[in-house]
Amino acid sequence: MSADDGADVARSSLTLGDRVGSGGQGDVHAVTGGSLLFKEYKEPSKVNGTALADLVALRQCLGQADRSRLDALAAWPLCRVVEGGRTRGFLMRRAPAHMTWRTAAGATKLVELQYLIRPPKAAWQDVVQPGPAQRRALALACVEAIGWFHDAGLVIGDISQANVLWSLSPEPAVHFLDCDGFRRVGRAAVQAQAATPDWNDPLAPSTDATVDTDAYKTALVAGRIVAQQPYVLPGQDLQPVPGCLNERQTDGVRRLFAQAAGERGTRPRPSEWQTALGERGVITLTAATPRVRPSIDHTVLDGARDRTPIRLRGPVQ
């Protein structure tokens, strides 16, 4: 079973193996005879099956390059699993093998963001920690991924230490989980918005999920990675790990982190974080005498700004 065509799959057709994960909204099981996982919702009556089909259709409409990019970045819903006219869950691929680690007892665990933003502990000493330059690269990879999702017209919602994975090999990279919590801008969510303590926007209800709440959480991700501090908040002093950032990057990151404490609509976007964390700074060009043009507000729904979207192959049904 590949589930790659996006067509619904009957729950009765699945043979399940071990339960590999469990959360507040569903349980995750291995599907026998392949590399897929099945997330089964605990309360199917509260699931918006149309919204889930919308996420499946988005992937189907992407061109091959963008679809491969999405698969690398996220455990995306491949297809719905249905029974009796009701959506019971969805199929997805396993997280990349290089984003797992084995405990002393032999158990396999995911390399979650918590192992990157907290000081190392003896219990997870086998998780290889990044050097300062790799730490910056991981922060950059994370904000680039968030920017990619926004350019695809998506709101992420619950960005936290448990649903972002990372790896140093073959290069610093990240991978997002719980992607049924994403939604298309202006469209309904699959379920009620999940929230993670210490990762919420203080200026919005925990049930809100917009591009602007994503912007606040982007600051949390970037700041907590470069500082290796799991609870630092915008508005507080940010001290990057020594050697992680150069002087220009430090100034830029601190400025954006402080800015994220501001009012909704003023938080820095992922592209600004990419510039601050990147190898190259901003080059200011002196232009010829400019022509006066009318001011146009490109604000669109959910606070997203006008940008060049990822091209889809066809309309989402």
Side-chain angles (χ1 to χ4, degrees):
M1 178 183 297
S2 71
D4 209 51
D5 60 2
D8 289 348
V9 170
R11 171 67 175 82
S12 59
S13 70
L14 300 179
T15 302
L16 303 182
D18 296 335
R19 187 176 73 175
V20 298
S22 181
Q25 296 180 332
D27 296 323
V28 179
H29 295 264
V31 178
T32 302
S35 60
L36 298 179
L37 299 176
F38 168 45
K39 180 173 180 178
E40 185 165 31
Y41 292 120
K42 293 180 178 180
E43 298 184 79
S45 62
K46 296 183 177 180
V47 174
N48 185 328
T50 300
L52 183 59
D54 200 27
L55 295 180
V56 171
L58 178 139
R59 179 180 178 276
Q60 290 297 313
C61 289
L62 290 175
Q64 187 56 55
D66 283 326
R67 186 184 298 189
S68 297
R69 176 68 169 153
L70 177 62
D71 291 344
L73 287 177
W76 198 256
L78 299 176
C79 68
R80 298 188 305 178
V81 175
V82 298
E83 183 178 57
R86 176 171 289 178
T87 299
R88 295 293 304 273
F90 64 92
L91 296 181
M92 59 184 169
R93 291 190 176 88
R94 290 180 179 270
H98 57 274
M99 292 185 176
T100 63
W101 67 285
R102 192 170 294 277
T103 68
T108 299
K109 291 191 173 185
L110 298 173
V111 185
E112 298 172 344
L113 190 66
Q114 63 170 319
Y115 301 123
L116 183 62
I117 64 176
R118 297 174 180 273
K121 298 181 179 180
W124 39 276
Q125 60 184 342
D126 288 334
V127 178
V128 178
Q129 288 295 302
Q134 291 173 314
R135 180 170 292 279
R136 179 197 63 81
L138 286 167
L140 179 58
C142 203
V143 300
E144 285 178 341
I146 295 171
W148 193 92
F149 293 133
H150 283 183
D151 285 345
L154 293 163
V155 173
I156 301 171
D158 188 24
I159 303 173
S160 76
Q161 63 182 18
N163 56 21
V164 180
L165 308 181
W166 58 279
S167 173
L168 299 175
S169 178
E171 62 184 6
V174 297
H175 190 80
F176 283 65
L177 305 178
D178 294 336
C179 297
D180 56 324
F182 289 39
R183 67 173 177 83
R184 301 285 295 276
V185 170
R187 303 191 188 183
V190 176
Q191 292 193 93
Q193 177 61 48
T196 301
D198 302 313
W199 287 86
N200 289 328
D201 181 350
L203 301 184
S206 61
T207 54
D208 273 12
T210 67
V211 170
D212 200 72
T213 61
D214 278 2
Y216 182 83
K217 296 176 185 182
T218 301
L220 293 183
V221 166
R224 291 174 178 185
I225 289 176
V226 300
Q228 200 174 7
Q229 292 290 338
Y231 302 112
V232 67
L233 297 171
Q236 298 177 348
D237 183 40
L238 186 72
Q239 292 294 334
V241 170
C244 179
L245 306 177
N246 61 32
E247 183 176 354
R248 177 195 64 79
Q249 292 163 345
T250 298
D251 290 343
V253 165
R254 283 178 170 166
R255 175 179 54 80
L256 295 180
F257 196 68
Q259 182 183 336
E263 295 297 320
R264 299 184 67 178
T266 68
R267 281 81 175 264
R269 298 308 189 207
S271 60
E272 296 175 77
W273 285 101
Q274 291 177 47
T275 299
L277 289 164
E279 295 286 358
R280 297 181 179 180
V282 176
I283 301 175
T284 302
L285 299 179
T286 301
T289 303
R291 291 179 295 172
V292 178
R293 296 182 180 181
S295 176
I296 301 174
D297 186 357
H298 291 286
T299 303
V300 296
L301 194 62
D302 284 329
R305 290 281 172 178
D306 184 38
R307 54 172 65 88
T308 302
I310 290 174
R311 295 183 179 276
L312 304 180
R313 294 191 306 176
V316 177
Q317 301 297 320

